[in-house]
Amino acid sequence: MKSKYKTYNNASIVPLFCGTDQGTAFFVDKDLLLTARHVLADAEDNGDTVTIEIDNTSYFCNIVWEGDTTNLIDLAILKCRDYVCPAPLRLLALPSDRKDIDLTICGYPYANGGGRNQFEIPVSPTANVSGREYDVISAPETLLSFVSYKGLSGSPVLNDSGSVVGVITDQMNMVLGYKTLASITDTLGEHGLVCSANWELEDQKPYGLGHSLTLLSKQVDLAGDRYNEKVHVENNSLIQKLERFSDKQQFLEVISRLNELEEIYASYASTLPQGKQILDWDNKPYEIGGYINLTYFLQQALKLVDNDPSQKNGDAAQNLRKSLDKVDDLVRQYLELKRGDYIIEGEAGSGKTHMACWFALHHQSPCYVYLIHGAQLTPSESVEKQICRLCGFPDATLLALDEKMATVGKYGVVIIDAINECSSGSYWVKQLDVFRQTFDKYKNLKLIITIRTGTVDIGAWERESISGFENVHKAVSRYFCTFGVPKDFDWRKFKSDFRNPLFLRLFCDSFRYLNGYWQNDLKQIDVYLAYIKKRNEKISELVDEDVFRNVSEKYLLKIASYSLYYQNCQDISRGKARSLGDCICRGRLWSQSLLKNSLDENLLISMPDYEFIENELVGFHFEKMGDFLRAYVLLNSKTDYAKKVDQLIELQKYTKSHDGYEGKFRGLIGAYIDTYNGKENLLNNKSFTDGPLREYLIEALPYNTKYNKDIIALLLKSMTPALVRVLVVKFNDYGSDEIRTLHKMLLGMSMPERDAVWSEAINEFCDIYGYDFRRWNYNVSEKEDRERALVLLSWLLCTSYPEARARIIRKLYLILREEPKFCVFILNAMAACDDPYVAEGVLCAIYGVVVKSRNADMVAEVAGMVRQVFYKEHIEGPEDIQVRKWTLKIMERDHYLTPASKHFEECTRQTIHLRHLSI
């Protein structure tokens, strides 16, 4: 018989002989075996030897443990003298009441070759028993039966994964009884044998966790080089949200706490006389489970209590007040965890697939995760049927999975990664809401979709954004180590670009193609061309072409050229992309076409055409690579510089008059400036410095061009809100040189000069984008980023709008609260600024940090710096009353924590002569 468990043949499961008896034993450690005790009766009674047979060779064994007859444990542990097992079996504590698991007995029945041929018998657990040496009765499922099952005593009962869940001890009327390891886990542990309790991990039934893990492993493999465990860098903020979203126990805990608040309200409401019940705006009383309205009813109840002198200070009042302190946060958590779907969007290469794979692999404990790639979906089947097919479920609906999740008390989480990469992307424009409708039917299933920004209309879906690495230094270190990039390579000029995982990976992946003699003056276009050269090796093989023709680069440059000159930088039609490829590699079938293989190798991407819903467009998989290839085509055209600028102006006029076109043009300008080598021509051209291309010069800052310091110096001479917008909104996309230049120039201005250009520009920015600076998510995980964020926010305090300053102060406080040591840094950095708005805001944020701190040393250092900056020789103090207030409060806090400190006492005791502020 062909063995289902061939790995264990003649290695782990072996025939056992003792006197006239024989049975089966199996290795549970390199030299320890488990078997049935009664097979060893002759050894106990007659002193016969115990042997096992492996590959026709006998090995002697010693009895280590002879079971426990008092507790009805008919098992024994043996120690083999001269053999070491290469693959001992795992022990699994499967509960005896699990009757839905496929099991197999693997042993050496005497009726099959005299007990020397291994045989497998599929069995089904039929009944649990007590008071015997076995606790489960199993019936063989095979049609082949033996007159006697002698020789199977001691055989392991295996699950589909090959783990042992029990040991055969008895035969009764052609059925077999076995002792479950779950019933003797502690006893085995006393003898050094460990039984795993994670039996769910090996449940290979279609809706079992083991099946989910097996499927997940295959799906992660399909992600290819998009997922690499070795270079994983934590994205804690997003992962924490997903953990809460997918953990049913957290949701149930929130509901439990809300129920407690409901009981407090209901307890009070029951005391109200008839006719004085609290009603909502629809004249309805509170309904149990209506958590969204619970805050309102608690507020109304507290009003009634406060108006009743006999109850105002009683237990009811206290309970209601405590409930009101908690209810808003709990309702917020309830609404957040109740949602059944989650969309994560990000630009190309921002790490969506890596995040999806990593989350799925590392969060199988609180939920069951099923990963599906968008490229696996087709328009020919319903959403639900496709998910069932791809997940290996026997049914055409997810009802059975929902019922399974209800049984285990967990969520089933389906992740559809890169839904925009379906071979017919336009399908999802019509069908995206069908996913929500499908999962809304099931209370125990949740959906996570990752999608490329702008490729599919998300509509009203709740969404989270992923923008790349939170810690660039850590990511660069891991990637460079993994890919063998020299540690001394100066990567700082690429810092903002390396925040994008795709760019960092393609840089490392193609580093050996970057010729060493120009690595010191490396530009982004060089990286992209080297990456294309690398991918060309595989594509040339797939299209059956000579690798030295470099067909991939020729093809992508042709697409870039057609996009630039005929499509105004937009994506081109799928048909045109195919014909351009066929002009380079002629006579190819679809399987060998340049278009197909460029799509498969993720150089290009196919997307829906929103104007003509049935059409497809082809663009660059990494949009920024498309920007640089178009700029490369333009710069290498035969027209002179002036003509190129004229072309850009004409293109700008067109994009201004057509919705949705301007984004690609901005990318082209940024790439053009970064790639261009003539700084003098660029910065002396009026079209860029004071003409129609000026705003695009500003937008080019996030491209981290080598001219950024010169651009900022030029733009500060005639400030516009556009520069403020880029500095504020695109903070994560540029480096420190820009902020250093800004800081130096603003310090060099007098306050009237600064107000005329900088403060006015900030005010205009606020008029357009609002006052809430907290909504811009700054990545400040690294020291350098935290410093430039603090400097930028401090200069934004120059605005004359009080509400905007209040929001900026709050953002300053939040950053300083995480790392209080930066309080001294920002005081020192802004010491030469003469604007009282800046001083007041910085000091207010710092006071918010020190007033809550018990760190006397830190507060003393801050107080010392405050005195040094604002109080000269103990007699001079700041003129501005608000600035003086905050400085004294900081020093007062220092005096409270360190009574021996003299800063506060000396600055308040002596006569203070006012001076103009010099911060």
Side-chain angles (χ1 to χ4, degrees):
M1 178 178 180
K2 186 176 179 180
S3 174
K4 182 179 180 181
Y5 303 99
K6 60 183 179 180
T7 303
Y8 312 120
N9 277 353
N10 302 321
S12 301
I13 305 172
V14 295
L16 172 70
F17 302 93
C18 180
T20 59
D21 282 334
Q22 75 172 73
T24 302
F26 55 95
F27 280 93
V28 293
D29 202 347
K30 61 182 181 179
D31 59 354
L32 295 180
L33 301 99
L34 196 59
T35 187
R37 180 187 56 80
H38 69 260
V39 179
L40 310 176
D42 284 351
E44 299 176 24
D45 299 338
N46 307 323
D48 290 340
T49 58
V50 180
T51 61
I52 59 174
E53 187 174 291
I54 302 173
D55 293 334
N56 299 320
T57 301
S58 296
Y59 297 90
F60 291 102
C61 296
N62 297 328
I63 301 174
V64 176
W65 175 63
E66 296 182 287
D68 186 347
T69 55
T70 303
N71 293 312
L72 301 176
I73 301 178
D74 182 21
L75 300 180
I77 296 176
L78 307 176
K79 186 177 182 66
C80 185
R81 297 181 191 175
D82 302 309
Y83 180 79
V84 174
C85 178
L89 302 184
R90 300 183 303 275
L91 304 183
L92 189 67
L94 177 71
S96 60
D97 58 352
R98 290 304 307 265
K99 302 295 190 297
D100 58 340
I101 305 294
D102 291 333
L103 299 176
T104 300
I105 297 170
C106 191
Y108 293 82
Y110 184 78
N112 183 33
R116 282 177 166 78
N117 292 330
Q118 190 181 99
F119 199 82
E120 297 172 7
I121 305 174
V123 295
S124 297
T126 57
N128 292 356
V129 296
S130 59
R132 295 182 180 275
E133 293 178 331
Y134 54 90
D135 48 20
V136 175
I137 295 174
S138 59
E141 295 180 348
T142 178
L143 296 177
L144 178 63
S145 61
F146 297 109
V147 175
S148 170
Y149 286 106
K150 179 182 178 181
L152 284 182
S153 292
S155 297
V157 181
L158 305 170
N159 67 3
D160 275 346
S161 299
S163 293
V164 182
V165 301
V167 183
I168 296 296
T169 59
D170 290 271
Q171 172 189 344
M172 309 80 62
N173 298 325
M174 305 310 294
V175 296
L176 298 167
Y178 65 87
K179 190 73 171 179
T180 60
L181 300 188
S183 65
I184 55 171
T185 298
D186 293 339
T187 303
L188 292 175
E190 293 171 1
H191 297 279
L193 301 183
V194 178
C195 293
S196 171
N198 296 323
W199 59 269
E200 287 183 312
L201 298 178
E202 300 187 14
D203 183 358
Q204 292 295 332
K205 287 287 188 178
Y207 301 103
L209 183 56
H211 172 78
S212 170
L213 290 171
T214 301
L215 176 69
L216 180 59
S217 178
K218 296 177 181 177
Q219 291 295 97
V220 169
D221 288 342
L222 290 178
D225 56 10
R226 293 190 188 189
Y227 178 72
N228 187 339
E229 181 82 23
K230 295 180 181 178
V231 294
H232 175 70
V233 178
E234 296 78 10
N235 186 335
N236 292 327
S237 57
L238 180 58
I239 290 298
Q240 287 171 4
K241 291 178 181 178
L242 294 181
E243 286 174 346
R244 287 174 52 78
F245 169 78
S246 58
D247 190 344
K248 189 173 185 179
Q249 296 308 309
Q250 290 197 40
F251 182 53
L252 295 177
E253 182 182 343
V254 170
I255 290 179
S256 175
R257 294 171 65 187
L258 283 169
N259 289 341
E260 292 175 3
L261 302 189
E262 278 188 331
E263 291 176 7
I264 292 172
Y265 170 76
S267 176
Y268 172 76
S270 65
T271 66
L272 295 174
Q274 192 70 24
K276 290 192 175 182
Q277 295 290 319
I278 300 174
L279 304 176
D280 64 11
W281 37 90
D282 292 326
N283 291 323
K284 295 181 179 179
Y286 180 77
E287 294 183 6
I288 298 299
Y291 306 121
I292 297 175
N293 299 325
L294 185 54
T295 300
Y296 170 79
F297 281 92
L298 286 170
Q299 288 172 339
Q300 298 305 310
L302 186 59
K303 284 182 182 179
L304 293 176
V305 169
D306 286 341
N307 291 331
D308 185 346
S310 65
Q311 291 185 308
K312 188 172 184 178
N313 298 316
D315 291 342
Q318 292 183 11
N319 290 335
L320 288 170
R321 289 191 183 95
K322 290 179 181 178
S323 299
L324 273 171
D325 290 340
K326 303 174 184 177
V327 66
D328 284 340
D329 184 54
L330 288 173
V331 170
R332 179 190 59 77
Q333 292 183 51
Y334 169 77
L335 293 174
E336 178 185 337
L337 300 178
K338 184 175 181 289
R339 58 195 277 195
D341 46 63
Y342 214 100
I343 277 193
I344 301 169
E345 62 174 350
E347 299 293 341
S350 56
K352 301 182 294 296
T353 297
H354 179 93
M355 181 279 305
C357 293
W358 190 89
F359 176 81
L361 286 171
H362 292 83
H363 291 83
Q364 285 283 3
S365 178
C367 59
Y368 286 30
V369 184
Y370 301 90
L371 177 64
I372 296 172
H373 297 288
Q376 295 177 288
L377 301 175
T378 68
S380 59
E381 280 183 295
S382 70
V383 166
E384 197 164 4
K385 186 177 290 186
Q386 286 190 80
I387 293 174
C388 291
R389 174 175 55 80
L390 292 169
C391 291
F393 300 148
D395 301 323
T397 73
L398 296 169
L399 179 61
L401 178 63
D402 185 63
E403 293 173 346
K404 168 73 174 183
M405 294 303 104
T407 301
V408 299
K410 298 181 179 181
Y411 284 132
V413 179
V414 177
I415 301 177
I416 301 180
D417 176 54
I419 197 174
N420 49 281
E421 292 184 9
C422 169
S423 59
S424 179
S426 58
Y427 172 70
W428 302 116
V429 178
K430 305 174 185 176
Q431 298 293 327
L432 193 57
D433 283 339
V434 175
F435 283 94
R436 170 172 285 174
Q437 296 166 13
T438 299
F439 279 79
D440 280 349
K441 297 185 295 185
Y442 305 111
K443 294 181 179 180
N444 301 288
L445 303 184
K446 291 203 170 189
L447 173 69
I448 297 174
I449 291 177
T450 73
I451 193 168
R452 181 173 171 176
T453 302
T455 54
V456 174
D457 182 14
I458 299 176
W461 283 56
E462 293 287 337
R463 68 197 75 180
E464 290 290 338
S465 296
I466 181 171
S467 57
F469 295 119
E470 291 183 344
N471 190 325
V472 179
H473 280 277
K474 190 173 183 179
V476 170
S477 177
R478 288 193 178 176
Y479 271 81
F480 278 21
C481 180
T482 301
F483 287 90
V485 179
K487 294 181 180 179
D488 59 351
F489 179 79
D490 185 7
W491 57 271
R492 288 174 296 176
K493 64 180 178 180
F494 287 122
K495 180 178 179 180
S496 61
D497 300 292
F498 282 168
R499 195 176 299 280
N500 183 291
L502 176 59
F503 182 79
L504 178 55
R505 181 178 62 78
L506 66 86
F507 173 86
C508 295
D509 211 19
S510 56
F511 187 80
R512 65 186 178 91
Y513 292 86
L514 298 170
N515 297 321
Y517 67 88
W518 45 272
Q519 283 176 9
N520 293 328
D521 189 29
L522 199 60
K523 298 190 288 288
Q524 286 195 56
I525 185 61
D526 301 322
V527 177
Y528 294 124
L529 292 176
Y531 180 69
I532 294 169
K533 185 176 181 181
K534 178 186 182 300
R535 306 302 288 183
N536 180 66
E537 293 178 355
K538 184 174 182 181
I539 290 177
S540 295
E541 181 182 349
L542 293 171
V543 302
D544 194 21
E545 187 55 82
D546 182 1
V547 69
F548 290 101
R549 280 197 65 202
N550 206 5
V551 292
S552 299
E553 181 178 316
K554 292 178 180 178
Y555 181 44
L556 295 184
L557 288 175
K558 271 187 172 292
I559 290 178
S561 177
Y562 190 86
S563 169
L564 174 66
Y565 293 116
Y566 297 98
Q567 295 295 119
N568 298 293
C569 297
Q570 302 306 296
D571 299 324
I572 71 175
S573 71
R574 190 177 178 115
K576 187 63 182 179
R578 175 68 192 272
S579 66
L580 290 174
D582 290 346
C583 289
I584 298 172
C585 295
R586 300 178 181 277
R588 276 17 179 227
L589 297 175
W590 170 245
S591 61
Q592 287 189 316
S593 69
L594 270 175
L595 174 58
K596 177 189 182 300
N597 290 288
S598 296
L599 290 170
D600 291 346
E601 292 302 307
N602 295 318
L603 289 176
L604 299 176
I605 186 172
S606 182
M607 298 167 291
D609 184 343
Y610 294 108
E611 293 184 5
F612 304 97
I613 209 71
E614 299 300 329
N615 293 344
E616 291 286 322
L617 297 175
V618 170
F620 292 93
H621 184 81
F622 190 22
E623 279 192 27
K624 211 168 184 180
M625 182 169 74
D627 296 336
F628 276 86
L629 290 180
R630 282 185 282 264
Y632 183 76
V633 168
L634 179 60
L635 284 167
N636 285 279
S637 65
K638 296 181 180 180
T639 56
D640 60 25
Y641 175 75
K643 290 285 183 64
K644 290 183 175 69
V645 174
D646 290 340
Q647 286 178 305
L648 291 174
I649 292 174
E650 289 300 316
L651 193 56
Q652 183 258 352
K653 291 178 181 177
Y654 183 87
T655 57
K656 279 284 188 182
S657 60
H658 290 75
D659 292 338
Y661 278 54
E662 198 168 8
K664 293 283 180 67
F665 179 69
R666 292 181 187 277
L668 170 68
I669 290 289
Y672 179 90
I673 295 170
D674 187 68
T675 308
Y676 187 59
N677 286 321
K679 181 176 75 173
E680 291 76 16
N681 282 342
L682 185 69
L683 298 182
N684 290 329
N685 187 288
K686 288 189 175 181
S687 296
F688 278 106
T689 59
D690 196 27
L693 299 180
R694 173 187 169 86
E695 63 178 291
Y696 302 99
L697 190 66
I698 296 171
E699 292 287 343
L701 289 174
Y703 275 74
N704 202 20
T705 73
K706 53 185 175 293
Y707 306 135
N708 274 3
K709 290 189 284 187
D710 301 290
I711 292 173
I712 287 183
L714 175 71
L715 295 172
L716 277 174
K717 294 177 181 178
S718 55
M719 182 66 62
T720 68
L723 178 57
V724 179
R725 187 187 75 81
V726 170
L727 293 173
V728 173
V729 178
K730 299 290 185 179
F731 175 84
N732 294 329
D733 296 330
Y734 58 85
S736 297
D737 287 344
E738 291 81 359
I739 294 300
R740 290 193 192 100
T741 302
L742 176 73
H743 182 57
K744 183 177 180 180
M745 293 197 67
L746 290 177
L747 282 178
M749 297 179 180
S750 65
M751 189 159 63
E753 290 174 332
R754 195 164 50 241
D755 284 343
V757 290
W758 176 248
S759 300
E760 186 64 30
I762 301 172
N763 290 345
E764 290 183 35
F765 170 82
C766 293
D767 291 336
I768 299 171
Y769 295 98
Y771 301 140
D772 192 1
F773 286 83
R774 293 178 300 172
R775 70 176 183 234
W776 312 118
N777 183 24
Y778 290 179
N779 190 324
V780 291
S781 59
E782 299 175 31
K783 176 178 179 291
E784 183 180 327
D785 293 330
R786 194 177 296 271
E787 289 177 352
R788 66 190 183 94
L790 291 171
V791 171
L792 174 61
L793 290 169
S794 297
W795 281 118
L796 291 175
L797 289 167
C798 289
T799 177
S800 60
Y801 294 164
E803 185 176 351
R805 287 202 304 275
R807 304 294 180 89
I808 296 168
I809 290 170
R810 177 66 177 172
K811 195 171 184 72
L812 272 170
Y813 161 74
L814 293 174
I815 295 175
L816 291 171
R817 182 185 65 180
E818 296 299 317
E819 290 286 349
K821 64 183 179 182
F822 283 89
C823 292
V824 174
F825 161 79
I826 195 59
L827 280 170
N828 188 55
M830 304 305 294
C833 175
D834 59 351
D835 192 329
Y837 283 165
V838 175
E840 176 189 339
V842 170
L843 290 166
C844 179
I846 290 174
Y847 179 70
V849 175
V850 301
V851 76
K852 295 182 178 181
S853 175
R854 303 290 301 178
N855 187 337
D857 292 338
M858 183 276 292
V859 176
E861 185 180 7
V862 173
M865 179 60 71
V866 167
R867 183 174 180 180
Q868 177 184 328
V869 172
F870 294 95
Y871 295 85
K872 186 178 181 181
E873 298 177 357
H874 311 300
I875 59 173
E876 293 186 2
E879 181 181 32
D880 187 89
I881 191 66
Q882 291 296 324
V883 174
R884 182 184 298 187
K885 178 185 75 173
W886 293 120
T887 58
L888 292 176
K889 279 185 169 293
I890 291 170
M891 289 187 285
E892 182 184 29
R893 178 63 177 171
D894 171 49
H895 181 67
Y896 174 80
L897 293 176
T898 311
S901 175
K902 302 297 183 182
H903 297 313
F904 178 70
E905 182 181 344
E906 291 177 357
C907 288
T908 53
R909 185 180 66 238
Q910 298 183 19
T911 302
I912 299 176
H913 298 283
L914 300 182
R915 66 177 175 86
H916 287 290
L917 176 65
S918 176
I919 179 178

